[in-house]
Amino acid sequence: MRKPSFMSCAVLFLAALGAHAGSSQQPGSSREIRAHIIDEFTGQAVQRARYALTSAAMVDALAGSSDAEGNLSLSAIRPGRYRLTIEKAGYFPEAVDLNIAESSPTTMADIVMTARREISGVVRWQDGEVSARAMVRVFGIRGARPVARPDIPTVQTNDRGEFIVPNLRPGRYILLVSPPTFTGGIDATGKFDAGGLPRLGLPVFYPGVNVADARTAIDVRGTLSVENIGVVLEEKPGTVVEGTVVPSSTAPMGSDVAITLSNPSFYSVSTTVFAGEDFRIGPVPSGFYILDASSQAGRAVLPLTIAGPTFCGVSLSIPPPTFLSGQVEIDDPSV
């Protein structure tokens, strides 16, 4: 029998040594990751924040809470890509993407959580009566100019004229307050019964101007809440718009047609009528408006300048959709 050559023995020995080294390093490949959670406003620790660590390779999330000092520790974490999500009441959730490698530091940079802000106040008429069910919309500031913030829901004042705009991030905001477009009360059965005519007034931007001005913005960057904001609405005479919806191929006789009357200050009222019937919408303060009528298959937009107690004779016909064709040209080919 031939004896194994020296070269063959050396190869086998090195292979075995490599296998042994690999098996001895495997348990050491997992890591412990530590982090500290702080409040962006106070710089203090955020206690008992809930966290969840997830990845494509994990069946269940690794969940837990930070301690009383805002510290969290993740043990036996193998190299890979993860997402760490942190939640705490009163704060916006935070998500951190982690790419953990053998050389990754054990301690992460501080995780900063942003506290939710809020603005609250009361809306009244000029005679001191509260304005229940007034609408409060929020605008932000970008480049010293007001910008719409459709991501912030519109809120409505309660029966005492009070409102709260919650869940705001640090920043500067402008409030637009529109008077309620209907009145009513609670009947004997406990249900809301609409009735009467609403008090009329133009929308106002806080603190009471007709044009949004960045200089009047409410600043919540250095505070968690701004309270007792007072908004005063001035009563104005109004106009009722009357007309007829003419049936068409896109709004057949008897079909629903939604009508909205709005002005550039975002004051609007809406109603729904049947095609072929008369409509009556308002009253609204006199001025320039856009009358927007839409059915399931089409839409008509009509500019109106209204005045007086009644604006009559509006004829609405919703035309069929029009398809546009053309060519888009780019002046700069590098764009």
Side-chain angles (χ1 to χ4, degrees), residues 170-289:
R172 295 189 299 153
Y173 298 94
I174 294 176
L175 302 183
L176 173 64
V177 181
S178 300
T181 56
F182 60 92
T183 60
I186 306 300
D187 62 17
T189 65
K191 296 181 179 180
F192 182 80
D193 182 24
L197 293 176
R199 299 183 68 169
L200 301 175
L202 288 173
V204 296
F205 293 93
Y206 174 81
V209 295
N210 295 326
V211 179
D213 188 344
R215 293 172 296 181
T216 66
I218 302 170
D219 196 338
V220 293
R221 292 173 295 183
T223 184
L224 296 181
S225 65
V226 175
E227 304 172 348
N228 301 319
I229 291 293
V231 181
V232 178
L233 300 174
E234 183 179 355
E235 196 165 12
K236 301 282 186 180
T239 302
V240 173
V241 177
E242 297 179 349
T244 303
V245 178
V246 179
S248 65
S249 60
T250 52
M253 178 71 73
S255 61
D256 288 341
V257 176
I259 301 176
T260 298
L261 187 66
S262 59
N263 70 1
S265 295
F266 305 98
Y267 186 103
S268 65
V269 291
S270 300
T271 188
T272 300
V273 297
F274 297 117
E277 295 186 355
D278 296 336
F279 68 87
R280 190 172 189 269
I281 187 169
V284 295
S286 300
F288 177 76
Y289 287 82

Side-chain angles (χ1 to χ4, degrees), residues 43-224:
Q44 302 298 313
V46 177
Q47 304 177 359
R48 311 301 179 191
R50 298 181 300 276
Y51 68 81
L53 185 71
T54 58
S55 77
M58 298 172 63
V59 177
D60 298 316
L62 178 62
S65 299
S66 62
D67 62 19
E69 285 74 43
N71 299 312
L72 65 84
S73 178
L74 306 171
S75 302
I77 306 301
R78 295 186 179 278
R81 295 182 180 274
Y82 297 86
R83 166 158 286 201
L84 179 63
T85 303
I86 302 173
E87 295 181 344
K88 171 76 174 180
Y91 292 86
F92 289 98
E94 296 292 337
V96 182
D97 291 322
L98 305 176
N99 187 7
I100 299 176
E102 292 285 351
S103 58
S104 298
T106 301
T107 302
M108 299 168 50
D110 287 348
I111 298 175
V112 181
M113 298 196 73
T114 302
R116 301 175 188 266
R117 270 66 164 176
E118 71 176 32
I119 298 172
S120 60
V122 179
V123 180
R124 299 180 183 275
W125 290 98
Q126 59 192 25
D127 60 4
E129 181 182 342
V130 298
S131 180
R133 295 182 173 82
M135 306 304 294
V136 181
R137 296 176 174 87
V138 179
F139 290 72
I141 302 295
R142 182 182 301 160
R145 301 187 63 179
V147 293
R149 289 295 303 269
D151 57 311
I152 302 176
T154 298
V155 300
Q156 191 177 60
T157 60
N158 61 19
D159 291 339
R160 296 182 296 276
E162 301 165 338
F163 69 89
I164 297 177
V165 182
N167 301 326
L168 298 175
R169 289 189 175 273
R172 295 189 299 153
Y173 298 94
I174 294 176
L175 302 183
L176 173 64
V177 181
S178 300
T181 56
F182 60 92
T183 60
I186 306 300
D187 62 17
T189 65
K191 296 181 179 180
F192 182 80
D193 182 24
L197 293 176
R199 299 183 68 169
L200 301 175
L202 288 173
V204 296
F205 293 93
Y206 174 81
V209 295
N210 295 326
V211 179
D213 188 344
R215 293 172 296 181
T216 66
I218 302 170
D219 196 338
V220 293
R221 292 173 295 183
T223 184
L224 296 181

Side-chain angles (χ1 to χ4, degrees), residues 306-324:
I306 64 175
T310 307
F311 188 89
C312 305
V314 178
S315 179
L316 282 176
S317 178
I318 301 178
T322 300
F323 295 93
L324 301 178

